[in-house]
Amino acid sequence: MSQQEEFFQYISDGYQTKGDAIELGAAMLGEKTITNALVKVPLKTLNRHGLIAGATGTGKTKTLQVLAENLSEKGIPVLLMDIKGDLSGLAKASPGHPKIDERHQKIGFPFEAKKFPIEVLTISEQDGTRLRATISEFGPVLLSRILDLTETQSGIVAIIFKYCDDHKLPLLDIKDFKKILQYVTNEGKEEIKAEYGRISTASTGAILRKIIEIEQQGGDLFFGEKSFDVEDLTRVDENGRGIISVLRLTDIQDKPKLFSTFMLQLLAEVYETFPEQGDSERPELIIFIDEAHLVFDQASKALLNQIESIVKLIRSKGIGLYFVTQNPKDVPEDILAQLGLKVQHALRAFTAKDRKAIKLAAENYPDSEYYDTKEVLTQLGIGEAFVSVLNEKGIPTPLARTMLRAPMSRMDVLTDKELKNVINNSRLFYKYNENLDRESAYELLNSKIQKINLAEEKAIQDAKNKKEKERLAKEKEKESRRRTSSRSRSTRQDPLVKVLTSATFIRAVFGILKKVIK
């Protein structure tokens, strides 16, 4: 048996499946594609997560596109993070090309052009079905981890949530949270102190600054109603194909805090919502996180621990997470160890640091007697990759240098008109893009503060009135005493008048007058 025949048997045995699978392409021996030596991914192990890595321009996005198409065709819904803006072409069939036909002839099956059902989503000002979540849905623990708060600050956030729950104050958007922070340090300070203990103004100020940081990155658009129901990510169309939800994030690269906030909330919501299903024959939902370093770059240790926990646990819900990035080292080691499918495109060795990264990347893959992994990593062509998956028993398959199949849909973006048509034909667009601003903590606290201010003004006015009343009473009493004193003086008889008007004096006068007359 020749080496080529041995290799064909080696790959065929290693990638043999009993259940349904996705065909990624054909294995290569050296530079030669071995026709029909198909490299396949069992649907059963797709919830074991994965990694698509490689230097810029090596074909990572097209690999993502191929996986999304085939998942959709198998009836499995997909969520894609479209950071570069080149995945909307999934909605239109590929125009085809002789080189694509030639590639598929080498692989062993014909090329077929197809379009796929997509839903355009957004968390920013871009057009699309808007994804939102309320502050309450985050809860105090997750919100504190996203904001990277200290233990003391996290305790204050927990108190705020408890106060709002106890007093029926819905926390929906950022203005609600900012208002309650201001309230507990000003008008409600004594009330909070009496019920829950003293809250430091310095701590609430620090929390407020963290909230403003997210708000400046566009958090005011993300936090609020109507909350997106993650069940809407698991829809299929009338033909049984899984709907591909394309989240447009082309304006988010300079807003890593908002992106990591969204991703963590989404994963937490999916984990809380979806039922346990263990090891099933097919996943419920596959999520591709493009430019994955944006999730991890500015993440705190607490946030990384939260993401790691979710990655470990979420697969039991039938959810597969696939990280797309330039280098495997962009993904933390503890998370990298959880990834079953690995598709490694070419890496470039321009510097000593690059060579060290290539050596580390090669160590992530099984040893192979057919490849010098470290050397071949720098020689892979566009649309070629090292592939290793988990078979149906959860065992890593043989490492295969793979000629990957071409996407069946357009390898380019939709025009503005085509994109607008997709959005206008969406049922979810009209479900979630209505602006809601129902009465919540902001309005209720403003009303409460207004009542407090009115009560304080009334108390001040009452005090002034009382003081004025007392002043007038004192003046009245003083005037009364003055008049009484005056009357008393006017009725008192002068001593001289008393003598002159006395009977004795008058008789004496009359006696004298009588004698004079005589």
Side-chain angles (χ1 to χ4, degrees), residues 464-479:
K464 285 182 178 179
N465 292 340
K466 184 178 179 182
K467 193 173 181 181
E468 180 66 14
K469 192 174 181 181
E470 289 174 351
R471 185 185 69 78
L472 291 173
K474 285 180 181 179
E475 287 186 0
K476 187 176 181 181
E477 184 180 355
K478 187 177 179 182
E479 178 67 20

Side-chain angles (χ1 to χ4, degrees), residues 82 121-128 130 247-251:
D82 187 12
L121 309 176
T122 180
I123 61 171
S124 63
E125 293 180 344
Q126 292 183 310
D127 293 334
R130 189 159 297 286
L247 178 58
R248 303 178 70 198
L249 295 169
T250 53
D251 59 347

Side-chain angles (χ1 to χ4, degrees), residues 264-298:
L264 190 54
Q265 190 278 333
L266 176 72
L267 296 179
E269 186 71 14
V270 167
Y271 178 71
E272 291 294 329
T273 304
F274 284 48
E276 289 282 341
Q277 66 175 50
D279 288 325
S280 63
E281 293 302 312
R282 56 195 291 116
E284 291 296 312
L285 174 67
I286 298 294
I287 300 174
F288 290 92
I289 304 172
D290 200 2
E291 302 295 333
H293 65 276
L294 292 177
V295 177
F296 304 113
D297 272 358
Q298 297 189 18

Side-chain angles (χ1 to χ4, degrees), residues 406-467:
M408 294 179 275
S409 57
R410 183 193 293 177
M411 289 189 278
D412 199 359
V413 299
L414 297 180
T415 64
D416 290 343
K417 184 178 180 181
E418 289 170 335
L419 186 63
K420 190 173 182 179
N421 286 337
V422 170
I423 294 171
N424 288 340
N425 290 328
S426 165
R427 289 188 294 107
L428 294 188
F429 179 82
Y430 299 99
K431 178 179 178 180
Y432 291 109
N433 282 52
E434 180 185 358
N435 288 323
L436 297 178
D437 190 16
R438 66 184 171 97
E439 189 176 60
S440 55
Y442 180 81
E443 290 80 14
L444 293 171
L445 285 172
N446 274 338
S447 177
K448 189 171 184 177
I449 290 169
Q450 189 177 14
K451 288 178 181 177
I452 291 172
N453 290 338
L454 287 173
E456 288 178 351
E457 288 175 8
K458 186 175 184 302
I460 292 169
Q461 190 60 46
D462 287 347
K464 285 182 178 179
N465 292 340
K466 184 178 179 182
K467 193 173 181 181

Side-chain angles (χ1 to χ4, degrees), residues 63-220:
T63 300
L64 186 162
Q65 193 170 342
V66 165
L67 281 168
E69 292 172 345
N70 283 274
L71 287 165
S72 174
E73 201 159 42
K74 300 290 184 182
I76 300 169
V78 176
L79 172 62
L80 304 176
M81 310 294 157
D82 187 12
I83 290 181
K84 295 187 290 290
D86 48 5
L87 289 171
S88 61
L90 282 156
K92 294 293 180 181
S94 168
H97 195 278
K99 287 188 176 181
I100 293 178
D101 295 330
E102 182 184 342
R103 173 182 286 262
H104 274 256
Q105 189 175 3
K106 290 179 181 179
I107 292 171
F109 53 83
F111 175 74
E112 189 178 358
K114 291 183 181 178
K115 63 179 181 179
F116 295 87
I118 76 166
E119 182 75 49
V120 179
L121 309 176
T122 180
I123 61 171
S124 63
E125 293 180 344
Q126 292 183 310
D127 293 334
T129 298
R130 189 159 297 286
L131 298 187
R132 291 190 185 91
T134 65
I135 295 284
S136 293
E137 288 169 337
F138 273 72
V141 175
L142 186 57
L143 187 63
S144 296
R145 286 178 178 171
I146 286 167
L147 297 176
D148 192 20
L149 302 181
T150 65
E151 187 175 344
T152 300
Q153 292 163 357
S154 298
I156 291 173
V157 171
I159 288 173
I160 286 172
F161 271 78
K162 180 70 168 64
Y163 176 83
C164 290
D165 286 342
D166 291 346
H167 294 80
K168 303 291 187 295
L169 299 171
L171 288 172
L172 304 180
D173 51 28
I174 283 183
K175 71 177 188 295
D176 288 332
F177 198 74
K178 287 167 68 177
K179 177 56 70 174
I180 186 66
L181 278 172
Q182 293 163 0
Y183 177 77
V184 300
T185 53
N186 292 302
E187 295 86 357
K189 186 175 182 179
E190 294 304 317
E191 179 188 359
I192 294 290
K193 184 178 178 180
E195 290 187 42
Y196 307 100
R198 182 178 173 273
I199 286 181
S200 164
T201 304
S203 294
T204 55
I207 298 168
L208 184 60
R209 287 192 292 274
K210 295 289 183 72
I211 284 288
I212 290 172
E213 182 185 353
I214 289 184
E215 184 180 31
Q216 288 176 334
Q217 292 193 14
D220 54 329

